[in-house]
Amino acid sequence: MKITAIINEIISSTTYPDQNGGQIDQGDIFISIIDADTKQPTNGNNCEVTYQRNQNGITSNYTVTVAGQSFPLYSGVIRDYEYSPQGDMIRSDYVSFTLISVKAGNSPSTNPSVCDLKINYIDINKIESAPGASDAQITVNATSSFASILYSIDLGITWQTSPVFSNLSGGLKHILVKDSNPLGCTDSADISILTSTNLLTGDPSVTLPDGYVSRWNAAFNPVVFTYQRKDFTIKSITADSGQGHTIISVNANFIDPNTGLPKVKAGDKIYINTAAYKGVYTIEKVSGINTIVINTLFASSDTTGFININSMYPYYELHTRITYTDPFTNTLSTIKSVNRPDNTGLIKADLSNFLQSLLRPADNNNYNQVDYADTNLCTSFMVEYAWHYDDGSTEGFTSNFNQIQHPYYVVYAAKQLGDKYGGNLAAYVPNVNSPAQWITDFKEPAYSAGYPFDIGYLFTDEMTNLQPYCQLTLLDINRNSLPGSYEPDHLQNEDDSWILNEDGSKFSIGNQTSFVMPLAGPAGLHRLMVSANFPPEAYYFNMQIRYDDENGSHSLTKVQTVRIDDAVDDNSVYLRWIGLSGAWNYYRFVFNQEISLDVQNAVIIKNYVQNWQTQEGIEEVISKSAGQKMKVIAEDLSVNDIRGLQSIKYSPKVQMLINKNPVKWQTVVINTATYSEYETRNGRAPFSVTFNIPSINIQTQ
């Protein structure tokens, strides 16, 4: 039988380090023995093959004996061509092989009763970044005299020539290999791939006692996502027989496939987190492909935990990508936050500064909608995260992004020290087990008939399918429900016709004292408008969001009592402002208001006197500024009202109503000062605040 040989390449990976034609090929090169007549692979039977190796222009000749169908020559980087941004070649490394001759063997093939196929090790190149991500990768290192070697990860159902398996899920994997030995030699090994389930260890959500999770936050408090870096799991921890120091076997391969050299060396700092070892340690010695000795005495063999090695993942970063609706273009956009870990691998990403930019202290409400969704003071966003490190390429390595399935929400609010749930708005989030608060700075807001008024609440995704409604019930001066029903009562004749008034309207014998207002999404901050002339016997009204099902009626919010302001409407000043809780507040000042004119910043020049007898003057004003100030006053207020009004003095947005129909507001600026509010013993006090009306436009010279 006449035989020949060919040089084969199997490329396992190709990367492109630049945009100018650069390419890095990594794989295996081997000699294949071919039957010259049938052109099929055949055993070499100890034939001698002479070949030439060319590495970056340096050539050498070698002769090898091939017993089986193939013989491995090389494994690693085959070609590495890289170019600068200007197109100049900055790296040109390669290795190639050329066949010189094939000489038939003088002895029969290696004893087929001997199998030398062996899996040396399995390298976990990348763990699964999150449950379900299926982005893990492993590389199998196996050798045999009877190449080529085939690899399987599905119990031999399918086979492949590449030793690299990608897009794997976490968990235990069973690897099979087979060679070209006539006996059909095989070997197997198991490997456990870690799934990074706890990369995200904390977010700004709050879990309530009933299990409900609130993902609503105040934008002007920290909105922090916390991650824990976990590079590798630990296979074993044993004691060094010499000094008694700790030997750690890591579920990784320290060898750089591009250089063949270990990435980890003595003197490197690492972080270990197990039951007995927790902190930063120094590597004393590197042994083999995945074992290190650290400078501390052996304490325990418990491997539960993880190890972080900077030299394996240099310049480690955590990328948090935010998907949001741009408030100016109303289109979906993304932005990325890049954060570095501390020496324990802990990473904190505070997104509050960016989220604040998505909200605006503005209002597009024309007060024609009963239930208005305010997209200026509230927005939602989605979060996904990935880990990144510098692998030597231009862009570095970034894992697949893992998306958090639930949206988060921020409101134009600022929580205070000591507030329950910190910066989370869980107290304002309606759910079926814990009725929520309405969003107002007042314990009892004041409603003035004929003036625009609304009160804020949060509409959640869970409320969409409940068909919620707001029930408004009128109360008398003693806060008891007024007699009546959901519809007014009218008097009828015996023939069931209506008794009419002179103007043709129905003759009413009973007023409507309870109202139902259906509510609908989308999720976000909603403002429920109240606009009605209630009967004179109504002094208050209660508001509550509810829903009905087969088990009856259920509350989603607490009962909010609103006072009906019956003060005489005489030169009233009606103000609204954004409170600390994140919604608009309203108040009508009816006491005598003070108006003052403030003229200042006069610029005066002195003219040269040329004729004392005829000249009009020596000094002349060329510019000045002027503006009106208004001081609004309310007498004999309760402490609860004063506390509600306090936020007007530090609100970022205060406006005065200047027209009712159509509704038009004018922004005013509150004077800064130290205010005397009230004495705690008395319980009632006057309230006043001064603000600047927009400045007067004055002619200048």
Side-chain angles (χ1 to χ4, degrees):
M1 180 181 63
K2 186 178 180 180
I3 61 173
T4 184
I6 59 174
I7 304 294
N8 279 338
E9 282 186 8
I10 295 180
I11 303 300
S12 59
S13 67
T14 299
T15 57
Y16 303 94
D18 53 64
Q19 304 297 321
N20 295 315
Q23 181 172 326
I24 302 175
D25 292 328
Q26 184 170 321
D28 301 293
I29 301 176
F30 54 90
I31 297 172
S32 294
I33 305 301
I34 303 296
D35 186 319
D37 297 325
T38 65
K39 308 301 182 184
Q40 297 298 315
T42 187
N43 286 329
N45 294 324
N46 293 332
C47 68
E48 293 182 356
V49 179
T50 302
Y51 65 91
Q52 183 181 82
R53 172 175 172 147
N54 184 341
Q55 185 162 5
N56 298 330
I58 300 175
T59 60
S60 301
N61 294 343
Y62 301 90
T63 299
V64 295
T65 299
V66 182
Q69 295 181 357
S70 62
F71 185 89
L73 297 178
Y74 176 82
S75 180
V77 176
I78 300 174
R79 284 170 291 273
D80 185 354
Y81 301 137
E82 300 181 29
Y83 295 86
S84 69
Q86 292 74 31
D88 301 323
M89 180 170 281
I90 58 176
R91 181 186 294 273
S92 177
D93 293 335
Y94 65 91
V95 60
S96 64
F97 296 83
T98 305
L99 196 66
I100 297 177
S101 65
V102 179
K103 180 181 177 182
N106 297 322
S107 59
S109 175
T110 302
N111 185 354
S113 65
V114 176
C115 285
D116 61 355
L117 174 63
K118 178 184 178 183
I119 295 179
N120 300 310
Y121 59 86
I122 301 175
D123 180 21
I124 298 181
N125 309 117
K126 179 176 177 293
I127 65 175
E128 189 181 27
S129 61
S134 296
D135 57 356
Q137 178 178 297
I138 62 174
T139 300
V140 183
N141 183 280
T143 56
S144 171
S145 298
F146 284 82
S148 58
I149 300 175
L150 297 178
Y151 306 83
S152 175
I153 200 172
D154 56 7
L155 300 177
I157 297 175
T158 59
W159 297 87
Q160 65 183 49
T161 57
S162 172
V164 178
F165 292 93
S166 302
N167 302 320
L168 301 178
S169 60
L172 185 66
K173 305 299 177 184
H174 185 70
I175 307 300
L176 283 176
V177 296
K178 67 179 181 179
D179 61 10
S180 302
N181 193 308
L183 293 177
C185 299
T186 62
D187 193 16
S188 64
D190 293 324
I191 185 70
S192 180
I193 302 176
L194 178 69
T195 297
S196 181
T197 57
N198 294 320
L199 190 60
L200 177 70
T201 60
D203 67 356
S205 65
V206 166
T207 302
L208 300 178
D210 60 7
Y212 182 83
V213 179
S214 166
R215 296 179 177 87
W216 299 72
N217 290 273
F220 291 86
N221 292 85
V223 181
V224 179
F225 289 79
T226 305
Y227 309 90
Q228 176 62 62
R229 171 185 178 181
K230 296 179 180 180
D231 290 353
F232 307 105
T233 55
I234 299 172
K235 287 184 177 179
S236 64
I237 301 177
T238 57
D240 182 7
S241 59
Q243 296 178 309
H245 286 182
T246 304
I247 302 174
I248 299 177
S249 178
V250 182
N251 194 4
N253 184 1
F254 296 155
I255 305 301
D256 188 337
N258 296 324
T259 64
L261 301 174
K263 294 182 179 180
V264 182
K265 62 183 183 300
D268 285 353
K269 301 289 186 181
I270 61 173
Y271 176 76
I272 305 174
N273 189 315
T274 67
Y277 307 91
K278 187 171 292 186
V280 178
Y281 299 88
T282 302
I283 297 177
E284 281 188 343
K285 183 174 62 175
V286 179
S287 176
I289 63 170
N290 66 345
T291 303
I292 57 175
V293 180
I294 60 174
N295 62 337
T296 189
L297 294 175
F298 175 77
S300 171
S301 60
D302 187 353
T303 60
T304 304
F306 60 90
I307 181 171
N308 295 336
I309 307 176
N310 284 334
S311 54
M312 292 293 290
Y313 295 144
Y315 301 102
Y316 186 100
E317 298 172 344
L318 200 291
H319 294 180
T320 303
R321 190 160 64 190
I322 309 164
T323 302
Y324 63 96
T325 301
D326 189 294
F328 299 102
T329 63
N330 201 33
T331 58
L332 283 180
S333 304
T334 61
I335 194 171
K336 184 172 65 177
S337 172
V338 178
N339 300 90
R340 295 290 306 277
D342 61 13
N343 61 358
T344 69
L346 192 67
I347 305 165
K348 290 183 178 292
D350 186 356
L351 310 181
S352 56
N353 284 340
F354 169 72
L355 296 175
Q356 291 166 18
S357 69
L358 303 182
L359 306 177
R360 296 180 296 166
D363 188 19
N364 301 324
N365 187 9
N366 56 12
Y367 292 88
N368 290 328
Q369 295 177 254
V370 174
D371 186 22
Y372 176 75
D374 195 326
T375 57
N376 288 312
L377 299 182
C378 179
T379 191
S380 64
F381 63 98
M382 298 291 294
V383 170
E384 50 188 348
Y385 58 89
W387 57 281
H388 171 94
Y389 73 96
D390 183 3
D391 65 350
S393 63
T394 303
E395 300 296 331
F397 173 84
T398 304
S399 70
N400 292 335
F401 276 86
N402 179 37
Q403 186 179 70
I404 302 175
Q405 297 302 314
H406 304 281
Y408 293 84
Y409 296 85
V410 285
V411 178
Y412 198 86
K415 299 292 291 296
Q416 307 304 306
L417 286 175
D419 282 357
K420 193 175 183 180
Y421 307 118
N424 193 283
L425 299 174
Y428 300 93
V429 180
N431 75 85
V432 296
N433 296 315
S434 301
Q437 300 178 30
W438 293 75
I439 303 180
T440 175
D441 286 4
F442 288 95
K443 184 177 181 180
E444 288 186 356
Y447 165 70
S448 298
Y451 286 84
F453 174 86
D454 55 44
I455 184 169
Y457 72 95
L458 297 181
F459 193 101
T460 66
D461 293 295
E462 295 81 2
M463 292 170 62
T464 304
N465 297 324
L466 299 178
Q467 297 181 333
Y469 59 89
C470 177
Q471 180 176 313
L472 187 150
T473 305
L474 298 180
L475 308 178
D476 62 20
I477 195 171
N478 296 315
R479 301 175 184 261
N480 297 318
S481 298
L482 290 177
S485 64
Y486 290 101
E487 294 181 357
D489 294 323
H490 303 287
L491 194 61
Q492 290 180 293
N493 294 306
E494 292 181 356
D495 60 358
D496 293 333
S497 63
W498 299 106
I499 297 178
L500 303 179
N501 295 310
E502 292 182 359
D503 60 1
S505 62
K506 298 176 182 178
F507 185 82
S508 176
I509 58 173
N511 291 323
Q512 181 179 359
T513 60
S514 188
F515 306 84
V516 172
M517 294 172 281
L519 307 177
L525 172 66
H526 283 229
R527 292 156 54 188
L528 189 60
M529 184 181 69
V530 177
S531 176
N533 290 314
F534 297 124
E537 59 269 22
Y539 286 81
Y540 304 90
F541 59 82
N542 283 341
M543 302 176 68
Q544 187 178 37
I545 297 177
R546 307 182 64 83
Y547 75 97
D548 299 331
D549 61 15
E550 63 276 8
N551 297 318
S553 180
H554 311 275
S555 60
L556 289 171
T557 66
K558 297 179 179 179
V559 174
Q560 176 65 61
T561 300
V562 179
R563 176 174 59 86
I564 300 175
D565 188 0
D566 60 353
V568 177
D569 190 2
D570 182 16
N571 293 322
S572 299
V573 176
Y574 195 65
L575 298 181
R576 73 168 184 173
W577 64 98
I578 300 174
L580 292 175
S581 54
W584 292 95
N585 297 277
Y586 301 83
Y587 198 84
R588 182 166 65 101
F589 291 88
V590 296
F591 198 78
N592 185 34
Q593 320 304 334
E594 296 180 8
I595 306 294
S596 60
L597 179 63
D598 189 8
V599 181
Q600 55 187 347
N601 300 325
V603 178
I604 302 174
I605 61 172
K606 288 192 175 183
N607 295 323
Y608 176 73
V609 179
Q610 294 182 345
N611 188 323
W612 286 88
Q613 181 177 350
T614 60
Q615 188 156 317
E616 293 180 351
I618 298 176
E619 295 178 337
E620 189 170 355
V621 177
I622 62 171
S623 69
K624 64 178 67 175
S625 61
Q628 285 187 321
K629 290 184 178 181
M630 177 180 291
K631 182 178 181 180
V632 291
I633 305 170
E635 291 285 356
D636 196 30
L637 297 183
S638 68
V639 171
N640 286 331
D641 279 351
I642 294 175
R643 287 174 177 170
L645 286 166
Q646 280 179 339
S647 61
I648 195 175
K649 297 178 179 179
Y650 41 75
S651 170
K653 191 80 166 184
V654 181
Q655 293 185 319
M656 178 175 64
L657 183 69
I658 59 176
N659 196 67
K660 290 184 179 180
N661 190 17
V663 174
K664 187 175 181 181
W665 302 89
Q666 184 179 73
T667 299
V668 297
V669 179
I670 301 296
N671 282 10
T672 58
T674 299
Y675 300 96
S676 176
E677 295 291 291
Y678 58 88
E679 295 180 4
T680 58
R681 184 180 297 272
N682 295 331
R684 303 190 71 84
F687 177 89
S688 65
V689 65
T690 302
F691 55 85
N692 296 330
I693 300 175
S695 59
I696 300 173
N697 186 24
I698 302 174
Q699 308 93 321
T700 59
Q701 298 188 37

